[in-house]
Amino acid sequence: MMERLICHLQSINGDLVTDILSRVDGSALASVASTCSELRGIARDQGLWKKLCHSRWPSTALEEAEHLISGSIHGCFDKFYSDACQLVLYDEVASANSLKLPECAELNPRTSPPDLLSLIDVYSKNRCVFSRILDGIPEAVDIFKHGLVDSSWEMIADERQKWFLDYPFKLELMGLKDDDDDELLDSPISSISEAGKSRENHCKKLIEDLRLSWILVDKNTGKAVNLSSWKPLSVQKSWPYHATYVMQFGCVLPVEESLLPQKLARFIITARFKMTEREECLKWSEISMRIENIEGAHVNGRSSLMILSKALYSQRSANQFKLEEGLRTYDKQKTEMMRRRESREALADRLLTFIEITVFVIFYVALRLLV
């Protein structure tokens, strides 16, 4: 089918070819670009890729993102699309052989908080209902910028930098707020007051309808990576007293043992919202990202910067089945690790109890002998 399309494209006018290619998806456009020299130039037209990016991720049409992508000396919209359209893949065997990558083999982070840009898009039933840009890591950008510029800031900046580097990392697009401050988004979700709907049915519907994309971009290199799982990994609801839903997205990234002893980092993107019955809309109170190790402990700022830098060069895949299989593998490893830890703790408790009983018996026997 693709070969027949290419033969037809080669025989028609260039402007018409451009118009035809403006209607295909990214994978088809990339296939055309790799066929022959006549079509390569047309298929690599940045205008076509720009349109694709804007259609798939409306946040790329926002001024700061569009300026960064189009003005990057390291690439343009076609490169950005290639980086962001695939998601981070955790494959236990392949990851073991690819932990050290050329550009980020060093553990010292080359990216600082001001160098990062996040593009966040939320979709409901394939329609984008929310697009935002998060520049840097807000709580750390001013610290790192001013600490290098103003000598009078130096000592304060050093202390604040140390606090950020040692404190549990969390990147917030939208933090928890009061109900009156929640942002109302027009989202086509059916009313939650329908008769017979259970909590499980509500959550299942949300898993089917809602999608989230969180693209991290390095301003210096132009590299990008989508840290979301696209589909929700879990949905929980406070029931029946609160109509608050909490959804989680994310991915798993293998890292060096010197960075995390467990050699696995998990990006957790949390979206917290309420659903209004009358307007049938979503009111968002939190969209944030954090990084945890396999034991569930939050990773600090220093390690998180290194992990974010490494994620830009991670293994990717567009195969949703492989992505889900990788996450299931991670969950199995985590469950097995927790089981082993609980077994060790139980053994240690029994040993301690045995020692205490033994000591008590020895003292008791000794006292009886003395008497």
Side-chain angles (χ1 to χ4, degrees):
M1 184 67 180
M2 181 59 68
E3 293 178 356
R4 187 179 304 172
L5 173 63
I6 292 169
C7 291
H8 284 301
L9 290 176
Q10 289 176 314
S11 62
I12 58 181
N13 180 272
D15 292 337
L16 185 56
V17 172
T18 301
D19 183 64
I20 294 172
L21 293 182
S22 68
R23 305 171 192 273
V24 303
D25 60 17
S27 59
L29 189 58
S31 298
V32 173
S34 62
T35 54
C36 64
S37 57
E38 290 82 0
L39 295 177
R40 186 177 300 117
I42 300 175
R44 295 193 66 181
D45 180 359
Q46 292 304 307
L48 297 177
W49 289 102
K50 179 179 178 179
K51 182 179 178 181
L52 279 173
C53 288
H54 288 182
S55 174
R56 184 158 184 170
W57 306 287
S59 59
T60 60
L62 300 177
E63 183 178 357
E64 186 174 357
E66 185 168 345
H67 176 73
L68 173 65
I69 299 170
S70 60
S72 174
I73 61 174
H74 302 280
C76 220
F77 283 95
D78 57 343
K79 183 177 181 295
F80 177 88
Y81 190 97
S82 176
D83 282 345
C85 70
Q86 301 186 84
L87 304 180
V88 175
L89 172 67
Y90 170 57
D91 181 272
E92 189 176 6
V93 177
S95 298
N97 299 323
S98 61
L99 277 176
K100 293 187 177 180
L101 298 174
E103 284 92 345
C104 58
E106 299 177 6
L107 285 183
N108 293 326
R110 301 185 195 178
T111 54
S112 63
D115 297 330
L116 302 175
L117 186 74
S118 295
L119 310 180
I120 298 97
D121 297 282
V122 182
Y123 310 79
S124 176
K125 295 182 179 178
N126 297 320
R127 183 169 73 89
C128 187
V129 295
F130 180 85
S131 293
R132 286 290 177 83
I133 293 177
L134 182 62
D135 190 6
I137 302 173
E139 65 181 7
V141 167
D142 290 339
I143 299 174
F144 280 75
K145 279 185 177 179
H146 291 82
L148 299 175
V149 175
D150 188 354
S151 59
S152 64
W153 247 74
E154 187 172 354
M155 185 173 296
I156 301 175
D158 287 344
E159 290 299 318
R160 293 180 64 187
Q161 283 184 25
K162 187 175 184 299
W163 170 83
F164 168 77
L165 293 174
D166 294 337
Y167 199 75
F169 170 83
K170 188 175 185 181
L171 183 56
E172 290 186 334
L173 172 70
M174 186 186 300
L176 289 173
K177 300 184 293 185
D178 296 331
D179 291 347
D180 293 338
D181 295 330
D182 290 348
E183 182 161 354
L184 186 63
L185 298 178
D186 184 11
S187 179
I189 301 291
S190 59
S191 174
I192 64 173
S193 61
E194 298 175 12
K197 289 286 186 179
S198 66
R199 175 173 56 182
E200 291 75 14
N201 288 337
H202 286 305
C203 293
K204 183 178 179 181
K205 178 175 175 55
L206 290 170
I207 289 177
E208 293 173 352
D209 291 347
L210 291 182
R211 300 289 182 265
L212 182 143
S213 170
W214 186 306
I215 301 173
L216 185 76
V217 185
D218 187 333
K219 298 177 186 178
N220 292 330
T221 64
K223 291 290 293 181
V225 60
N226 199 328
L227 299 174
S228 177
S229 52
W230 184 240
K231 294 181 179 181
L233 299 176
S234 65
V235 180
Q236 295 180 342
K237 183 184 179 185
S238 301
W239 190 276
Y241 304 107
H242 304 285
T244 300
Y245 291 84
V246 179
M247 304 186 75
Q248 287 192 343
F249 305 78
C251 62
V252 176
L253 182 72
V255 297
E256 291 83 357
E257 187 174 4
S258 53
L259 186 54
L260 289 180
Q262 304 84 3
K263 297 192 290 186
L264 287 174
R266 182 166 191 170
F267 291 86
I268 298 180
I269 299 170
T270 300
R272 189 186 306 269
F273 58 90
K274 293 183 179 180
M275 190 182 299
T276 62
E277 296 187 23
R278 180 175 298 178
E279 298 89 352
E280 299 179 5
C281 294
L282 303 182
K283 296 181 70 176
W284 300 87
S285 58
E286 179 188 10
I287 299 179
S288 63
M289 179 180 68
R290 67 182 188 273
I291 303 176
E292 294 183 352
N293 62 23
I294 198 171
E295 295 179 339
H298 289 207
V299 178
N300 62 27
R302 178 183 289 102
S303 297
S304 294
L305 285 177
M306 300 177 190
I307 293 170
L308 289 171
S309 180
K310 184 175 180 58
L312 293 165
Y313 301 90
S314 60
Q315 184 180 0
R316 323 277 176 91
S317 176
N319 188 320
Q320 191 69 35
F321 176 78
K322 285 186 176 181
L323 296 168
E324 292 172 359
E325 182 63 30
L327 290 169
R328 283 194 292 269
T329 300
Y330 170 84
D331 287 335
K332 288 179 182 177
Q333 289 179 304
K334 182 175 181 178
T335 301
E336 179 61 23
M337 189 207 69
M338 296 298 291
R339 188 192 65 79
R340 290 198 301 266
R341 186 173 69 176
E342 289 173 359
S343 297
R344 289 195 299 268
E345 291 176 351
L347 179 61
D349 289 341
R350 288 195 294 269
L351 182 60
L352 181 60
T353 302
F354 174 76
I355 293 173
E356 290 175 346
I357 293 174
T358 303
V359 171
F360 175 78
V361 170
I362 291 173
F363 272 106
Y364 177 77
V365 172
L367 286 173
R368 289 294 301 269
L369 291 176
L370 290 175
V371 172

